Amino acid sequence: MGRMMQTIVVDDLPQIVVAEEQFDALSDIAEGLTGVLPHVAGFLDRELNRARLLPLAHVPSDVVKVNSTVEFTLDTRGERVERLKLAFPAESTAGDGYVSIASPVGVALLGLREGQSIEWTSRYGERRSLKVLKVTG
């Protein structure tokens, strides 16, 4: 790894849940991002390693999964509510209204429940956070 690469550091980690049926595809995405976006690949890999796996049918409806539509606030002020669908990379290029699981915000959303927050440090050293307000789908 290069000297300039920084990793995303996640602090005060909330418990997360990931659907077993999505785990392999998510792991493949993390592996595929290693050479292109190593900071996102590492973040996704760490989230998958700490996630509690459940069959999709048993994942609570208020947990963010790939294909969930999520209302959330980004960063601490929480003034602007975002409403985006968490999608695999190929689907997230379909237009507005999507956030890719291959992005730091997408990774941060994965597995969170309504009301949970997560904080991380970007590859540029910026502190970022988000809070999930509502999950549908």
Side-chain angles (χ1 to χ4, degrees), residues 52-63:
R52 179 175 169 222
L53 299 181
L54 289 176
L56 185 58
H58 295 276
V59 176
S61 61
D62 66 343
V63 170

Side-chain angles (χ1 to χ4, degrees), residues 6-81:
Q6 296 177 349
T7 58
I8 296 173
V9 178
V10 182
D11 300 319
D12 298 324
L13 301 174
Q15 289 186 324
I16 62 170
V17 175
V18 171
E20 290 174 349
E21 294 87 339
Q22 296 178 343
F23 184 83
D24 287 343
L26 293 167
S27 294
D28 289 347
I29 290 167
E31 186 176 323
L33 290 172
T34 302
V36 184
L37 296 168
H39 60 287
V40 178
F43 188 14
L44 180 54
D45 190 52
R46 281 189 295 279
E47 291 297 276
L48 293 174
N49 284 331
R50 71 182 193 83
R52 179 175 169 222
L53 299 181
L54 289 176
L56 185 58
H58 295 276
V59 176
S61 61
D62 66 343
V63 170
V64 180
K65 304 166 286 301
V66 175
N67 297 319
S68 293
T69 299
V70 188
E71 290 180 26
F72 63 98
T73 56
L74 193 56
D75 295 317
T76 54
R77 284 180 296 241
E79 296 166 1
R80 182 173 164 208
V81 175

